[in-house]
Amino acid sequence: MKKIFEAPKSLKENLFHYCPGCGHSIIHRLVAEVIDELGIQERTIGVPPAGCAVLAYNYFDVDTGEAPHGRALAVATGLKRVLKDHVVFTYQGDGDIAAIGTAESIHAANRGEKVTAIFVNNGTYGMTGGQMAPTTLPGMGSTTTPGGRDVVRDGQPLDLTQMLGQAKGSVFLERVSVATPKHIRRAKKAIKKAFQVQLDGLGFALVEVLSPCPTNWKMDPVAAYEWTDKEMTKIFPLGVIKDITGYDKD
Amino acid sequence: MPKQLMRGSHVLGEAAVRAGCRYYFGYPITPQNEVPEYMSGRLIQVGGTFVQAESELASINMVIGAAMAGARVMTTSSSPGISLMQEGLSYLAGLELPAVIANVVRGGPGLGNIAPAQSDYFQATRGGGHGDYRTIVLAPASCQELCDLTIKAFDLADKYRNPVMIMGDGMMGQMMEPVEFPEPIDPADLPVKDWTLTGAKGRPSRVILSLLLAPKVLEDHNFKLVRKYDAVVRNETDWEEYMLEDARQVVVAYGTAARIAKGAIKRVREMGLKVGLLRPKTLWPFPEKPLKELSRVVRQLLVFEMSAGQMVEDVKMAVEGQAQVHLYGRPGGVIPTPDEVAHQISHYYYQAGLMDRDQQGERLGGAA
C-alpha cells in the first residue's frame, strides 16, 4: 500500500498538551514539515518560548535550548554566531516577542541576525491565564481588561511585525493565519520561505501567525477560528510586510 | 614569555582570548568599557566574534546561546549592568552552562558612581538571581592574578558547567602592571563537550532546559546542583596567607582592599604589631575553614572591605563567635590609604590589649 500521508519526522511521537482548538498544534506541524522538506533536521536548533509553547521541546525532534522569557532572539543570536552553518529558529508568542522581548526582537532584526522567528499571535497571554497582551484587540476582554481593552488606558495593539519592517536587517516578514485550510497552506509557504532566507544567509526572517486561543477567548474552537479570520485580521492584516529577498514572487 | 605592561581591563580581555574564548557579548558601562573595546579588536585577529548587544539583558542571553553551542564565552559589565544580568545568571546555573562574567564593581546602590567599590559582594556570592544556585566568584588582587584567574575561570566554568564571576573593581581595570601571559590555548584543542546543541546529526535530539515542572524532579535537580557546589567547596576554595605565622590579629580583605591592607600591615609591623592578612581569592566558595582554624589561635579579626560591610558576615559565620570580628568598611567608592587602614588596625589591636608588655608601656607612657 502506498503511504500518502504521515507524521513529520521532525516531530516526536508525543501527544500535544495544547487545549482543543489551539493553533500551536497546527503551527508546530507546519514548522516540522518545513524542516523535513528542507532536509535540515540534523542541523536545526530551536529556541522555544516561555508561555504555552514552553514545552515545544517535547514535540520538535531537533536540538532545542531554553531561553528566559522574551530573550529567545538573544539566545538565538548567541547560538547562530557560534553555529554559522546551522539553522536556528525561535518560536515565540506575542507576550514573549512583542512585550518583554521587544528590544531583543528589534535589535536581532536590525543586526540582520540570520535566524528565523516564528511569532505566534493569539492576542492573549495563554499560559498565565488570559491576561492582556500587547496584541489584544481594542475592546477585547481579558483577565486584566475585564471591561475590554480600552485604548486610552491600555494603549493600542502593537504591530511588532510592522515595526520590524523598519529594521534594516530584516529581509522577509509575513503575517499569515491558521484560521482556514487555505490560510494554513499559505502559512506553510511563508514559514518555508523564512527558513530558506536563513539557509541563503540573507538576514532576519519572521513569520507572524495569527492563531486562535479558544480557552482564553472563552469561545468554542469553531467560533475562535472564525474570530481569528474575521476580527484579528482587521487589526493585523495578512500578507507580506517586507520582502527584499529578491526571490521570485510566488 | 617576557612581561608586558598592560592595563587591567586589557589583561582581562587578553587572558580570555588566550584561554580560548572566541565569543564576547557585552554592553558598555563605566568603568569597564576598555574590555569590550579591547575585545572588539582582538577577537577579529583570532577569528572570534564580538557583538555589542543592545543591553546587558541581551548580552547575558547571547552568552547563554553561545554556551549552549559549546563555545568558551565571556561578558563583562559593572554593577548596574550586572544587576540586569542576574536573571541570565540564574538561568546559566539552572541550565548548567559554563560562562565567564566579569564584574568591574563600582559604587552603588542605584546609579551610584564609577569609583572602585566592593559593594556587590552579596549579589555575587548569594546568587543575585532567583532560585537555589551558586556562582563561583574569583577575586584577583593584581594584574598578573587577573590574568591567571581569568584563565582559571574558563577552566572552572567548563569543569563544573557553571557560571564563574570575576570580581574586580575600577582600580583594577585602570591600573597598569607588568603581566606574563601564558601561551594561548587553541579552542580546537579543548576537550569536546558531550552535551551541547550542535544539531541532532547521528544522535537523538538534545534539550537544554531548566523547566522542571514536577516538584520532585526539580528537587532532584537542585540536590544534584548542591552536590556539585559541595565539590566546588572541597576542591576550589582558594586564599592567600600573608604574615600569619605569628599574627595576633588577622585582617581579612580581598581584591584592591587586600592590596591596601598589605601596605597597612607593613606599616604596623614596623611598629611591632603582629598582624597578618588572609585574602580570599575565591569569594564563593569562601575560605571558611582556614578562618575557623585561625579563630582558635587569634582573638581578633578585622574585616576591611570597600563596602558598608558585606563579607564581614561570612567571616562571622566562619569563626562562629570564637573570635572578635570588627569591620572597617568604606562604601561609595572611597579608597582609604594604607595609613588609614593601619590606624584602624592599631586602634583595634590596642583596644583588645594584644600588644606586648613593652609596647603597652610605650603606649601608656605616651598617653601619660
Side-chain angles (χ1 to χ4, degrees), chain B residues 287-341:
Chain B
E288 280 178 27
K289 221 168 137 182
L291 276 168
K292 193 177 164 72
E293 282 162 13
L294 267 176
S295 70
R296 295 203 182 101
V297 290
V298 176
R299 277 158 50 195
Q300 192 186 56
L301 295 102
L302 175 61
V303 177
F304 165 45
E305 49 185 328
M306 283 148 59
S307 85
Q310 299 190 17
M311 182 176 71
V312 65
E313 293 191 4
D314 278 340
V315 175
K316 281 182 180 168
M317 278 195 282
V319 306
E320 292 178 342
Q322 291 191 106
Q324 298 169 9
V325 177
H326 298 289
L327 166 72
Y328 182 51
R330 297 300 298 268
V334 173
I335 310 170
T337 62
D339 280 344
E340 288 169 46
V341 180

Short mmCIF file of all heavy atoms in Angstrom, two decimals, chain B residues 287-341:
data_model
loop_
_atom_site.label_atom_id
_atom_site.label_comp_id
_atom_site.label_asym_id
_atom_site.label_seq_id
_atom_site.Cartn_x
_atom_site.Cartn_y
_atom_site.Cartn_z
N PRO B 287 36.65 30.98 52.01
CA PRO B 287 37.60 30.19 52.83
C PRO B 287 37.20 30.13 54.30
O PRO B 287 37.85 30.70 55.17
CB PRO B 287 38.93 30.93 52.62
CG PRO B 287 38.60 32.25 52.07
CD PRO B 287 37.27 32.17 51.41
N GLU B 288 36.14 29.43 54.56
CA GLU B 288 35.62 29.33 55.93
C GLU B 288 36.57 28.55 56.83
O GLU B 288 36.78 28.90 57.99
CB GLU B 288 34.27 28.58 55.92
CG GLU B 288 33.11 29.44 55.50
CD GLU B 288 31.82 28.64 55.47
OE1 GLU B 288 31.73 27.65 56.22
OE2 GLU B 288 30.93 29.01 54.69
N LYS B 289 37.09 27.44 56.27
CA LYS B 289 37.87 26.52 57.09
C LYS B 289 39.13 27.18 57.65
O LYS B 289 39.37 27.11 58.86
CB LYS B 289 38.23 25.29 56.25
CG LYS B 289 38.10 23.99 57.01
CD LYS B 289 38.18 22.84 56.05
CE LYS B 289 39.05 21.75 56.63
NZ LYS B 289 39.21 20.62 55.72
N PRO B 290 39.95 27.83 56.82
CA PRO B 290 41.14 28.46 57.39
C PRO B 290 40.80 29.55 58.40
O PRO B 290 41.52 29.73 59.38
CB PRO B 290 41.86 29.04 56.17
CG PRO B 290 40.87 29.07 55.08
CD PRO B 290 39.91 27.95 55.35
N LEU B 291 39.68 30.25 58.16
CA LEU B 291 39.29 31.30 59.10
C LEU B 291 38.86 30.70 60.43
O LEU B 291 39.18 31.20 61.50
CB LEU B 291 38.16 32.14 58.51
CG LEU B 291 38.61 33.26 57.58
CD1 LEU B 291 37.44 33.83 56.81
CD2 LEU B 291 39.32 34.35 58.38
N LYS B 292 38.15 29.59 60.34
CA LYS B 292 37.70 28.92 61.56
C LYS B 292 38.92 28.44 62.36
O LYS B 292 38.98 28.61 63.59
CB LYS B 292 36.82 27.74 61.17
CG LYS B 292 36.03 27.14 62.33
CD LYS B 292 35.14 26.03 61.81
CE LYS B 292 34.64 25.15 62.93
NZ LYS B 292 33.64 25.80 63.77
N GLU B 293 39.89 27.89 61.63
CA GLU B 293 41.11 27.42 62.31
C GLU B 293 41.88 28.59 62.92
O GLU B 293 42.36 28.51 64.05
CB GLU B 293 41.98 26.63 61.33
CG GLU B 293 41.45 25.22 61.12
CD GLU B 293 41.99 24.56 59.86
OE1 GLU B 293 42.96 25.08 59.28
OE2 GLU B 293 41.41 23.52 59.48
N LEU B 294 41.96 29.68 62.18
CA LEU B 294 42.66 30.87 62.70
C LEU B 294 41.99 31.40 63.96
O LEU B 294 42.66 31.84 64.90
CB LEU B 294 42.63 31.97 61.64
CG LEU B 294 43.81 32.08 60.70
CD1 LEU B 294 43.52 33.17 59.67
CD2 LEU B 294 45.09 32.43 61.46
N SER B 295 40.67 31.33 63.97
CA SER B 295 39.94 31.92 65.10
C SER B 295 40.22 31.17 66.40
O SER B 295 39.91 31.67 67.48
CB SER B 295 38.44 31.93 64.80
OG SER B 295 37.94 30.62 64.81
N ARG B 296 40.80 29.99 66.30
CA ARG B 296 41.16 29.25 67.52
C ARG B 296 42.44 29.79 68.14
O ARG B 296 42.67 29.61 69.33
CB ARG B 296 41.34 27.76 67.18
CG ARG B 296 40.07 27.10 66.72
CD ARG B 296 40.11 25.59 66.93
NE ARG B 296 38.90 24.99 66.43
CZ ARG B 296 38.80 24.37 65.25
NH1 ARG B 296 39.85 24.22 64.49
NH2 ARG B 296 37.64 23.87 64.87
N VAL B 297 43.29 30.41 67.31
CA VAL B 297 44.56 30.90 67.84
C VAL B 297 44.64 32.43 67.86
O VAL B 297 45.48 33.00 68.55
CB VAL B 297 45.76 30.34 67.03
CG1 VAL B 297 45.92 28.86 67.29
CG2 VAL B 297 45.60 30.60 65.55
N VAL B 298 43.80 33.08 67.11
CA VAL B 298 43.83 34.55 67.04
C VAL B 298 42.54 35.08 67.64
O VAL B 298 41.47 34.58 67.32
CB VAL B 298 43.95 35.01 65.57
CG1 VAL B 298 43.87 36.51 65.47
CG2 VAL B 298 45.24 34.50 64.96
N ARG B 299 42.67 36.05 68.51
CA ARG B 299 41.47 36.51 69.20
C ARG B 299 40.68 37.54 68.42
O ARG B 299 39.52 37.80 68.72
CB ARG B 299 41.86 37.09 70.57
CG ARG B 299 42.00 36.00 71.60
CD ARG B 299 42.86 36.43 72.77
NE ARG B 299 42.45 37.72 73.33
CZ ARG B 299 43.22 38.42 74.16
NH1 ARG B 299 44.40 37.95 74.51
NH2 ARG B 299 42.80 39.57 74.65
N GLN B 300 41.33 38.15 67.44
CA GLN B 300 40.68 39.28 66.80
C GLN B 300 40.88 39.30 65.28
O GLN B 300 41.99 39.10 64.79
CB GLN B 300 41.26 40.57 67.37
CG GLN B 300 40.44 41.78 67.00
CD GLN B 300 41.11 43.05 67.46
OE1 GLN B 300 42.25 43.31 67.13
NE2 GLN B 300 40.38 43.83 68.23
N LEU B 301 39.79 39.52 64.59
CA LEU B 301 39.86 39.67 63.13
C LEU B 301 39.29 41.03 62.76
O LEU B 301 38.29 41.47 63.33
CB LEU B 301 39.06 38.58 62.42
CG LEU B 301 39.59 37.16 62.60
CD1 LEU B 301 38.76 36.40 63.62
CD2 LEU B 301 39.61 36.42 61.28
N LEU B 302 39.95 41.67 61.80
CA LEU B 302 39.45 42.95 61.30
C LEU B 302 39.14 42.77 59.81
O LEU B 302 40.04 42.46 59.02
CB LEU B 302 40.50 44.06 61.49
CG LEU B 302 40.15 45.42 60.90
CD1 LEU B 302 38.87 45.99 61.51
CD2 LEU B 302 41.30 46.40 61.05
N VAL B 303 37.89 42.92 59.50
CA VAL B 303 37.49 42.80 58.09
C VAL B 303 37.54 44.19 57.48
O VAL B 303 36.91 45.12 57.98
CB VAL B 303 36.07 42.21 57.97
CG1 VAL B 303 35.65 42.15 56.51
CG2 VAL B 303 36.03 40.83 58.61
N PHE B 304 38.31 44.30 56.41
CA PHE B 304 38.39 45.58 55.71
C PHE B 304 37.84 45.37 54.31
O PHE B 304 38.35 44.56 53.54
CB PHE B 304 39.85 46.06 55.66
CG PHE B 304 40.08 47.17 54.67
CD1 PHE B 304 39.21 48.25 54.60
CD2 PHE B 304 41.17 47.15 53.82
CE1 PHE B 304 39.41 49.27 53.69
CE2 PHE B 304 41.39 48.17 52.90
CZ PHE B 304 40.50 49.23 52.83
N GLU B 305 36.78 46.08 54.01
CA GLU B 305 36.21 45.97 52.66
C GLU B 305 35.71 47.32 52.20
O GLU B 305 35.32 48.16 53.00
CB GLU B 305 35.11 44.89 52.59
CG GLU B 305 34.05 44.97 53.66
CD GLU B 305 33.07 43.81 53.58
OE1 GLU B 305 32.80 43.32 52.47
OE2 GLU B 305 32.56 43.41 54.63
N MET B 306 35.70 47.48 50.89
CA MET B 306 35.22 48.73 50.30
C MET B 306 33.72 48.62 50.05
O MET B 306 33.22 48.70 48.94
CB MET B 306 36.01 49.04 49.02
CG MET B 306 37.41 49.59 49.33
SD MET B 306 38.64 49.16 48.12
CE MET B 306 37.97 49.87 46.65
N SER B 307 33.02 48.41 51.16
CA SER B 307 31.56 48.39 51.16
C SER B 307 31.15 48.68 52.60
O SER B 307 32.00 48.78 53.49
CB SER B 307 31.02 47.03 50.73
OG SER B 307 30.96 46.14 51.84
N ALA B 308 29.85 48.81 52.82
CA ALA B 308 29.38 49.14 54.17
C ALA B 308 29.46 47.92 55.09
O ALA B 308 29.10 48.02 56.27
CB ALA B 308 27.96 49.66 54.11
N GLY B 309 29.91 46.79 54.56
CA GLY B 309 30.05 45.60 55.39
C GLY B 309 29.22 44.46 54.85
O GLY B 309 28.04 44.33 55.15
N GLN B 310 29.85 43.64 54.00
CA GLN B 310 29.13 42.50 53.42
C GLN B 310 29.90 41.21 53.70
O GLN B 310 29.37 40.29 54.32
CB GLN B 310 28.92 42.73 51.92
CG GLN B 310 28.08 44.00 51.66
CD GLN B 310 27.63 44.16 50.23
OE1 GLN B 310 27.64 43.24 49.43
NE2 GLN B 310 27.21 45.37 49.88
N MET B 311 31.17 41.17 53.28
CA MET B 311 31.95 39.96 53.55
C MET B 311 32.07 39.69 55.04
O MET B 311 32.24 38.54 55.47
CB MET B 311 33.34 40.10 52.93
CG MET B 311 34.21 38.86 53.11
SD MET B 311 35.80 38.98 52.29
CE MET B 311 36.61 40.18 53.33
N VAL B 312 31.95 40.74 55.84
CA VAL B 312 32.08 40.57 57.29
C VAL B 312 31.10 39.51 57.80
O VAL B 312 31.40 38.79 58.76
CB VAL B 312 31.88 41.94 58.01
CG1 VAL B 312 30.47 42.47 57.83
CG2 VAL B 312 32.22 41.83 59.48
N GLU B 313 29.97 39.38 57.15
CA GLU B 313 29.00 38.36 57.59
C GLU B 313 29.55 36.95 57.38
O GLU B 313 29.34 36.06 58.20
CB GLU B 313 27.68 38.54 56.83
CG GLU B 313 26.97 39.82 57.22
CD GLU B 313 25.56 39.92 56.70
OE1 GLU B 313 25.07 38.93 56.08
OE2 GLU B 313 24.93 40.97 56.89
N ASP B 314 30.24 36.76 56.26
CA ASP B 314 30.83 35.43 56.01
C ASP B 314 31.94 35.14 57.02
O ASP B 314 32.10 34.01 57.46
CB ASP B 314 31.40 35.37 54.58
CG ASP B 314 30.32 35.08 53.56
OD1 ASP B 314 29.26 34.55 53.96
OD2 ASP B 314 30.53 35.37 52.38
N VAL B 315 32.69 36.18 57.36
CA VAL B 315 33.77 35.98 58.34
C VAL B 315 33.16 35.60 59.69
O VAL B 315 33.63 34.67 60.35
CB VAL B 315 34.63 37.26 58.44
CG1 VAL B 315 35.69 37.10 59.54
CG2 VAL B 315 35.30 37.55 57.10
N LYS B 316 32.12 36.30 60.08
CA LYS B 316 31.47 36.00 61.37
C LYS B 316 30.93 34.57 61.38
O LYS B 316 31.04 33.85 62.38
CB LYS B 316 30.33 36.99 61.63
CG LYS B 316 30.82 38.33 62.13
CD LYS B 316 29.65 39.26 62.42
CE LYS B 316 30.15 40.61 62.92
NZ LYS B 316 29.10 41.62 62.94
N MET B 317 30.34 34.17 60.27
CA MET B 317 29.81 32.80 60.21
C MET B 317 30.94 31.79 60.30
O MET B 317 30.81 30.75 60.93
CB MET B 317 29.02 32.60 58.91
CG MET B 317 27.61 33.12 59.03
SD MET B 317 26.55 32.51 57.72
CE MET B 317 27.05 33.57 56.39
N ALA B 318 32.07 32.13 59.66
CA ALA B 318 33.18 31.19 59.66
C ALA B 318 33.77 31.01 61.05
O ALA B 318 34.08 29.90 61.47
CB ALA B 318 34.27 31.66 58.69
N VAL B 319 33.90 32.09 61.81
CA VAL B 319 34.56 31.99 63.11
C VAL B 319 33.59 31.58 64.21
O VAL B 319 34.01 31.24 65.32
CB VAL B 319 35.32 33.28 63.50
CG1 VAL B 319 36.28 33.69 62.40
CG2 VAL B 319 34.37 34.41 63.83
N GLU B 320 32.33 31.60 63.91
CA GLU B 320 31.31 31.10 64.85
C GLU B 320 31.49 31.65 66.26
O GLU B 320 31.41 30.90 67.24
CB GLU B 320 31.32 29.56 64.86
CG GLU B 320 30.85 28.97 63.54
CD GLU B 320 30.91 27.45 63.51
OE1 GLU B 320 31.63 26.88 64.36
OE2 GLU B 320 30.26 26.86 62.65
N GLY B 321 31.76 32.92 66.36
CA GLY B 321 31.82 33.55 67.68
C GLY B 321 33.08 33.24 68.46
O GLY B 321 33.19 33.64 69.62
N GLN B 322 34.03 32.53 67.87
CA GLN B 322 35.24 32.18 68.63
C GLN B 322 36.24 33.32 68.71
O GLN B 322 37.19 33.24 69.47
CB GLN B 322 35.92 30.97 67.97
CG GLN B 322 35.13 29.69 68.10
CD GLN B 322 35.97 28.50 67.68
OE1 GLN B 322 36.42 27.73 68.50
NE2 GLN B 322 36.19 28.36 66.40
N ALA B 323 36.06 34.33 67.88
CA ALA B 323 36.97 35.47 67.92
C ALA B 323 36.17 36.74 67.69
O ALA B 323 35.07 36.69 67.14
CB ALA B 323 38.05 35.32 66.84
N GLN B 324 36.74 37.86 68.14
CA GLN B 324 36.08 39.14 67.85
C GLN B 324 36.23 39.44 66.36
O GLN B 324 37.30 39.23 65.81
CB GLN B 324 36.77 40.29 68.58
CG GLN B 324 36.76 40.22 70.07
CD GLN B 324 37.71 41.29 70.65
OE1 GLN B 324 38.22 42.16 69.94
NE2 GLN B 324 37.95 41.19 71.94
N VAL B 325 35.16 39.96 65.78
CA VAL B 325 35.25 40.37 64.38
C VAL B 325 34.85 41.84 64.29
O VAL B 325 33.75 42.21 64.71
CB VAL B 325 34.33 39.52 63.47
CG1 VAL B 325 34.39 40.03 62.03
CG2 VAL B 325 34.71 38.05 63.54
N HIS B 326 35.76 42.67 63.82
CA HIS B 326 35.46 44.09 63.63
C HIS B 326 35.44 44.40 62.14
O HIS B 326 36.07 43.70 61.35
CB HIS B 326 36.51 44.96 64.31
CG HIS B 326 36.56 44.75 65.78
ND1 HIS B 326 35.56 45.19 66.62
CD2 HIS B 326 37.47 44.13 66.57
CE1 HIS B 326 35.87 44.87 67.86
NE2 HIS B 326 37.01 44.20 67.87
N LEU B 327 34.71 45.44 61.82
CA LEU B 327 34.60 45.84 60.41
C LEU B 327 35.18 47.23 60.21
O LEU B 327 34.90 48.15 60.98
CB LEU B 327 33.12 45.85 60.00
CG LEU B 327 32.80 46.56 58.67
CD1 LEU B 327 33.30 45.71 57.50
CD2 LEU B 327 31.31 46.82 58.54
N TYR B 328 35.99 47.37 59.19
CA TYR B 328 36.31 48.71 58.68
C TYR B 328 35.82 48.74 57.24
O TYR B 328 36.45 48.19 56.34
CB TYR B 328 37.82 48.99 58.77
CG TYR B 328 38.17 50.39 58.30
CD1 TYR B 328 37.50 51.50 58.80
CD2 TYR B 328 39.16 50.59 57.35
CE1 TYR B 328 37.81 52.78 58.36
CE2 TYR B 328 39.48 51.88 56.91
CZ TYR B 328 38.79 52.96 57.42
OH TYR B 328 39.09 54.24 56.99
N GLY B 329 34.68 49.35 57.05
CA GLY B 329 34.06 49.36 55.72
C GLY B 329 33.99 50.76 55.16
O GLY B 329 33.63 51.70 55.86
N ARG B 330 34.36 50.92 53.92
CA ARG B 330 34.29 52.23 53.25
C ARG B 330 33.47 52.08 51.96
O ARG B 330 33.99 51.63 50.94
CB ARG B 330 35.69 52.74 52.93
CG ARG B 330 36.58 53.00 54.16
CD ARG B 330 36.02 54.04 55.12
NE ARG B 330 35.86 55.37 54.56
CZ ARG B 330 36.80 56.33 54.62
NH1 ARG B 330 37.95 56.09 55.21
NH2 ARG B 330 36.57 57.51 54.09
N PRO B 331 32.20 52.42 52.04
CA PRO B 331 31.36 52.29 50.84
C PRO B 331 31.45 53.54 49.96
O PRO B 331 32.06 54.52 50.34
CB PRO B 331 29.96 52.16 51.42
CG PRO B 331 30.02 52.95 52.69
CD PRO B 331 31.44 52.88 53.21
N GLY B 332 30.82 53.46 48.80
CA GLY B 332 30.66 54.67 47.98
C GLY B 332 31.83 54.98 47.08
O GLY B 332 31.91 56.05 46.51
N GLY B 333 32.76 54.05 46.97
CA GLY B 333 33.89 54.29 46.08
C GLY B 333 35.05 55.00 46.75
O GLY B 333 35.97 55.46 46.07
N VAL B 334 35.01 55.12 48.08
CA VAL B 334 36.13 55.73 48.81
C VAL B 334 37.24 54.70 48.93
O VAL B 334 37.00 53.55 49.31
CB VAL B 334 35.68 56.19 50.21
CG1 VAL B 334 36.87 56.66 51.03
CG2 VAL B 334 34.63 57.29 50.09
N ILE B 335 38.46 55.10 48.57
CA ILE B 335 39.60 54.18 48.71
C ILE B 335 40.49 54.72 49.81
O ILE B 335 41.20 55.71 49.61
CB ILE B 335 40.41 54.10 47.40
CG1 ILE B 335 39.47 53.84 46.22
CG2 ILE B 335 41.45 53.00 47.48
CD1 ILE B 335 40.16 53.97 44.88
N PRO B 336 40.48 54.07 50.96
CA PRO B 336 41.32 54.57 52.04
C PRO B 336 42.79 54.33 51.75
O PRO B 336 43.15 53.43 51.00
CB PRO B 336 40.87 53.77 53.26
CG PRO B 336 39.96 52.72 52.78
CD PRO B 336 39.73 52.88 51.32
N THR B 337 43.65 55.13 52.37
CA THR B 337 45.09 54.94 52.21
C THR B 337 45.56 53.85 53.17
O THR B 337 44.88 53.56 54.17
CB THR B 337 45.84 56.24 52.55
OG1 THR B 337 45.58 56.55 53.93
CG2 THR B 337 45.39 57.38 51.67
N PRO B 338 46.73 53.28 52.91
CA PRO B 338 47.28 52.31 53.86
C PRO B 338 47.41 52.88 55.27
O PRO B 338 47.19 52.17 56.25
CB PRO B 338 48.65 51.98 53.25
CG PRO B 338 48.48 52.21 51.79
CD PRO B 338 47.53 53.37 51.67
N ASP B 339 47.72 54.18 55.37
CA ASP B 339 47.84 54.80 56.70
C ASP B 339 46.51 54.75 57.47
O ASP B 339 46.48 54.48 58.66
CB ASP B 339 48.30 56.26 56.57
CG ASP B 339 49.80 56.34 56.34
OD1 ASP B 339 50.49 55.32 56.59
OD2 ASP B 339 50.27 57.40 55.91
N GLU B 340 45.42 55.03 56.75
CA GLU B 340 44.10 54.99 57.41
C GLU B 340 43.79 53.58 57.90
O GLU B 340 43.26 53.39 58.99
CB GLU B 340 43.01 55.45 56.43
CG GLU B 340 43.02 56.94 56.15
CD GLU B 340 42.10 57.28 54.98
OE1 GLU B 340 40.96 56.78 54.94
OE2 GLU B 340 42.54 58.02 54.09
N VAL B 341 44.10 52.61 57.06
CA VAL B 341 43.82 51.22 57.46
C VAL B 341 44.74 50.82 58.62
O VAL B 341 44.32 50.17 59.57
CB VAL B 341 43.97 50.26 56.26
CG1 VAL B 341 43.69 48.82 56.67
CG2 VAL B 341 43.03 50.68 55.13
#
